Amino acid sequence: MTTAKDIMHTGATWIPAHETLDRAAQLMRDHNVGALPISENGHQDRMVGILTDRDIVVACVAMGRDPSKTTAGDLAQGTPRWIDAAAEVEAVLEEMQTHRIRRLPVVENKKLVGMISEADLAQHLSEDQIAGWAEKVYSRN
């Protein structure tokens, strides 16, 4: 049985909700990631959202907003999705497909332990699994 913990990459980095998007972009660059879980005012046990590089471009820069004045919390929307480290890969795929998301935080004992991204799926899943996932996540229906 392959679990979320088996396919995730470790070392996910939090960004506090009060931190600016220019700082978020620097963290993404420094850690070579495209998404950061947003923590509630620095409390790294309460996730209030996920910030992606695309969010910074589309919801800030393209809208004429200043990334040095816009915070990660300003872009946090909806209920953040996550998966338990012990969940089977099928549950990971279902969560990502159902909510049409490309990155999924992994939690163990209520603590963030990693993140699953498209690249992680590509490294650990069969071609059929990846094709099914991509069809459901990227379809316009």
Side-chain angles (χ1 to χ4, degrees), residues 65-106:
R65 296 169 77 181
D66 183 348
S68 68
K69 294 188 171 98
T70 306
T71 67
D74 292 338
L75 299 189
Q77 298 178 24
T79 302
R81 308 307 308 175
W82 55 271
I83 194 94
D84 189 88
E88 293 185 31
V89 168
E90 290 76 18
V92 170
L93 294 175
E94 180 66 26
E95 183 71 15
M96 294 175 86
Q97 290 167 348
T98 299
H99 299 285
R100 300 181 75 174
I101 55 177
R102 299 176 190 128
R103 297 170 180 104
L104 186 63
V106 179

XYZ file of all heavy atoms in Angstrom, residues 65-106:
328
model
N -2.347 45.184 -8.549
C -2.094 45.322 -7.110
C -0.588 45.265 -6.857
O 0.177 44.708 -7.638
C -2.802 44.207 -6.345
C -4.321 44.297 -6.487
C -5.035 43.070 -5.980
N -5.095 43.049 -4.522
C -5.660 42.074 -3.833
N -6.205 41.042 -4.449
N -5.678 42.125 -2.519
N -0.170 45.809 -5.756
C 1.243 45.875 -5.388
C 1.595 44.664 -4.519
O 1.086 44.541 -3.404
C 1.501 47.169 -4.626
C 2.954 47.383 -4.263
O 3.768 46.438 -4.379
O 3.286 48.509 -3.842
N 2.486 43.769 -4.995
C 2.840 42.586 -4.211
C 3.594 42.911 -2.916
O 3.661 42.076 -2.019
C 3.696 41.742 -5.147
C 4.005 42.580 -6.323
C 3.099 43.767 -6.313
N 4.112 44.117 -2.801
C 4.784 44.493 -1.552
C 3.783 45.006 -0.513
O 4.146 45.232 0.639
C 5.869 45.540 -1.803
O 5.288 46.767 -2.189
N 2.529 45.177 -0.930
C 1.495 45.646 -0.011
C 0.343 44.648 0.138
O -0.481 44.786 1.030
C 0.956 46.986 -0.482
C 1.995 48.089 -0.401
C 1.380 49.431 -0.686
C 2.373 50.519 -0.372
N 3.080 51.025 -1.495
N 0.286 43.660 -0.722
C -0.761 42.640 -0.669
C -0.219 41.463 0.133
O 0.921 41.038 -0.074
C -1.139 42.183 -2.096
O -1.472 43.332 -2.872
C -2.307 41.218 -2.066
N -1.022 40.921 1.040
C -0.559 39.827 1.890
C -1.064 38.475 1.398
O -2.042 38.396 0.643
C -1.016 40.016 3.345
O -2.444 39.881 3.400
C -0.571 41.352 3.907
N -0.404 37.441 1.869
C -0.842 36.079 1.562
C -2.273 35.877 2.038
O -3.094 35.260 1.358
C 0.093 35.070 2.212
N -2.595 36.418 3.198
C -3.945 36.305 3.740
C -4.987 36.978 2.877
O -6.144 36.541 2.840
N -4.592 38.034 2.173
C -5.526 38.709 1.269
C -6.011 37.772 0.166
O -7.111 37.942 -0.358
C -4.881 39.939 0.614
C -4.605 41.072 1.581
O -5.261 41.121 2.645
O -3.724 41.902 1.272
N -5.186 36.802 -0.201
C -5.537 35.883 -1.281
C -6.067 34.544 -0.780
O -6.492 33.722 -1.590
C -4.334 35.646 -2.196
C -3.773 36.874 -2.908
C -2.730 36.448 -3.936
C -4.856 37.692 -3.574
N -6.026 34.315 0.515
C -6.527 33.047 1.064
C -8.040 33.006 0.911
O -8.745 33.893 1.378
C -6.131 32.920 2.534
N -8.517 31.977 0.215
C -9.949 31.858 -0.031
C -10.394 30.423 0.214
O -9.642 29.484 -0.002
C -10.278 32.205 -1.479
C -9.944 33.608 -1.867
C -10.262 33.841 -3.338
O -11.085 33.162 -3.926
N -9.572 34.798 -3.931
N -11.631 30.263 0.603
C -12.219 28.940 0.730
C -11.612 28.110 1.843
O -10.859 28.597 2.685
N -11.935 26.852 1.822
C -11.442 25.904 2.820
C -10.201 25.222 2.279
O -10.256 24.608 1.209
C -12.521 24.836 3.106
O -13.702 25.491 3.542
C -12.054 23.851 4.161
N -9.085 25.319 2.994
C -7.875 24.658 2.501
C -8.043 23.139 2.539
O -8.636 22.591 3.457
C -6.778 25.123 3.452
C -7.458 25.711 4.623
C -8.854 26.047 4.225
N -7.549 22.477 1.530
C -7.606 21.022 1.436
C -6.284 20.451 1.890
O -5.223 21.055 1.674
C -7.881 20.582 -0.008
C -9.076 21.230 -0.683
C -10.379 21.158 0.055
N -10.709 19.798 0.453
C -11.766 19.479 1.194
N -12.587 20.421 1.607
N -11.992 18.232 1.514
N -6.305 19.276 2.491
C -5.102 18.577 2.933
C -5.428 17.093 3.010
O -6.581 16.701 2.893
C -4.618 19.112 4.278
C -5.689 19.067 5.344
C -6.608 20.041 5.625
C -5.981 17.986 6.232
N -7.446 19.625 6.632
C -7.080 18.369 7.036
C -5.416 16.736 6.431
C -7.625 17.542 8.003
C -5.950 15.905 7.410
C -7.040 16.312 8.180
N -4.393 16.274 3.212
C -4.575 14.829 3.316
C -3.684 14.304 4.434
O -2.605 14.836 4.671
C -4.259 14.123 1.965
C -4.756 12.685 1.936
C -2.788 14.158 1.655
C -6.114 12.539 1.345
N -4.156 13.280 5.119
C -3.366 12.643 6.172
C -2.225 11.847 5.546
O -2.393 11.236 4.486
C -4.259 11.728 7.010
C -3.533 11.223 8.232
O -3.565 11.914 9.270
O -2.908 10.137 8.146
N -1.086 11.843 6.191
C 0.098 11.148 5.677
C -0.149 9.664 5.452
O 0.457 9.052 4.566
C 1.272 11.350 6.638
N -1.042 9.062 6.226
C -1.312 7.624 6.112
C -2.339 7.281 5.037
O -2.579 6.104 4.754
C -1.787 7.083 7.463
N -2.934 8.285 4.403
C -3.949 8.028 3.376
C -3.328 7.311 2.180
O -2.192 7.592 1.785
C -4.576 9.344 2.926
N -4.092 6.401 1.608
C -3.623 5.685 0.429
C -3.631 6.616 -0.787
O -4.365 7.602 -0.826
C -4.507 4.476 0.160
C -4.376 3.423 1.252
C -5.150 2.149 0.933
O -5.288 1.811 -0.266
O -5.604 1.511 1.880
N -2.824 6.276 -1.770
C -2.689 7.103 -2.975
C -4.040 7.336 -3.636
O -4.300 8.434 -4.137
C -1.689 6.465 -3.962
C -1.761 7.128 -5.320
C -0.286 6.561 -3.419
N -4.911 6.353 -3.625
C -6.226 6.513 -4.229
C -6.993 7.667 -3.566
O -7.697 8.420 -4.231
C -7.031 5.213 -4.132
C -6.495 4.105 -5.021
C -5.217 3.427 -4.497
O -4.900 3.555 -3.289
O -4.532 2.796 -5.313
N -6.849 7.806 -2.250
C -7.505 8.909 -1.531
C -6.879 10.248 -1.912
O -7.574 11.261 -2.021
C -7.425 8.690 -0.024
N -5.569 10.266 -2.116
C -4.872 11.475 -2.560
C -5.431 11.911 -3.916
O -5.800 13.072 -4.108
C -3.346 11.235 -2.669
C -2.658 12.409 -3.364
C -2.731 10.958 -1.308
N -5.501 10.970 -4.843
C -6.003 11.284 -6.182
C -7.449 11.761 -6.120
O -7.812 12.728 -6.790
C -5.880 10.066 -7.093
C -4.455 9.615 -7.400
C -4.466 8.322 -8.211
C -3.679 10.685 -8.120
N -8.258 11.102 -5.327
C -9.662 11.493 -5.196
C -9.791 12.914 -4.661
O -10.573 13.717 -5.181
C -10.400 10.514 -4.275
C -11.856 10.842 -4.076
C -12.700 10.702 -5.333
O -12.338 9.916 -6.237
O -13.734 11.390 -5.424
N -9.028 13.248 -3.637
C -9.071 14.600 -3.055
C -8.657 15.645 -4.089
O -9.309 16.675 -4.238
C -8.154 14.667 -1.826
C -8.173 15.978 -1.097
C -9.463 16.256 -0.336
O -10.270 15.336 -0.122
O -9.662 17.419 0.056
N -7.591 15.372 -4.810
C -7.107 16.326 -5.801
C -8.069 16.433 -6.980
O -8.308 17.536 -7.486
C -5.696 15.937 -6.261
C -4.660 16.066 -5.136
S -3.017 15.475 -5.598
C -2.343 16.966 -6.358
N -8.636 15.320 -7.403
C -9.561 15.332 -8.529
C -10.874 16.013 -8.161
O -11.370 16.855 -8.914
C -9.839 13.901 -8.999
C -8.654 13.261 -9.663
C -8.807 11.757 -9.838
O -9.695 11.121 -9.277
N -7.911 11.161 -10.603
N -11.419 15.665 -7.012
C -12.705 16.216 -6.587
C -12.650 17.736 -6.477
O -13.572 18.437 -6.871
C -13.133 15.611 -5.237
O -13.268 14.201 -5.395
C -14.431 16.201 -4.739
N -11.550 18.251 -5.961
C -11.423 19.692 -5.727
C -10.608 20.392 -6.805
O -10.350 21.596 -6.694
C -10.846 19.937 -4.332
C -11.724 19.377 -3.270
N -12.902 19.972 -2.888
C -11.633 18.240 -2.545
C -13.482 19.247 -1.960
N -12.738 18.187 -1.739
N -10.195 19.624 -7.820
C -9.452 20.143 -8.966
C -8.246 20.978 -8.527
O -8.082 22.133 -8.906
C -10.372 20.941 -9.878
C -11.510 20.062 -10.410
C -12.401 20.798 -11.314
N -11.664 20.932 -12.588
C -12.201 21.439 -13.670
N -13.427 21.861 -13.663
N -11.496 21.535 -14.762
N -7.420 20.342 -7.697
C -6.219 21.014 -7.196
C -4.971 20.270 -7.639
O -4.996 19.063 -7.859
C -6.249 21.169 -5.660
C -6.467 19.836 -4.963
C -7.310 22.183 -5.249
C -6.432 19.913 -3.455
N -3.887 20.994 -7.734
C -2.629 20.446 -8.245
C -1.571 20.255 -7.174
O -0.541 19.660 -7.432
C -2.105 21.358 -9.343
C -3.073 21.450 -10.493
C -2.594 22.421 -11.544
N -3.680 22.617 -12.489
C -4.142 23.784 -12.844
N -3.622 24.879 -12.362
N -5.123 23.869 -13.695
N -1.842 20.786 -5.997
C -0.900 20.633 -4.879
C -1.707 20.359 -3.626
O -2.740 20.989 -3.390
C -0.077 21.898 -4.701
C 0.792 22.204 -5.921
C 1.389 23.588 -5.780
N 2.219 23.929 -6.906
C 1.856 24.766 -7.875
N 0.673 25.323 -7.860
N 2.685 25.050 -8.850
N -1.209 19.424 -2.806
C -1.967 19.002 -1.642
C -1.043 18.865 -0.434
O -0.130 18.041 -0.449
C -2.654 17.662 -1.940
C -3.606 17.104 -0.913
C -4.810 18.035 -0.707
C -4.090 15.724 -1.348
N -1.270 19.667 0.610
C -0.466 19.522 1.829
C -0.728 18.170 2.489
O -1.840 17.643 2.442
C -0.970 20.655 2.727
C -1.641 21.611 1.803
C -2.191 20.783 0.686
N 0.313 17.630 3.115
C 0.223 16.353 3.815
C 0.445 16.616 5.303
O 1.420 17.268 5.684
C 1.268 15.347 3.288
C 1.174 14.023 4.035
C 1.098 15.143 1.783
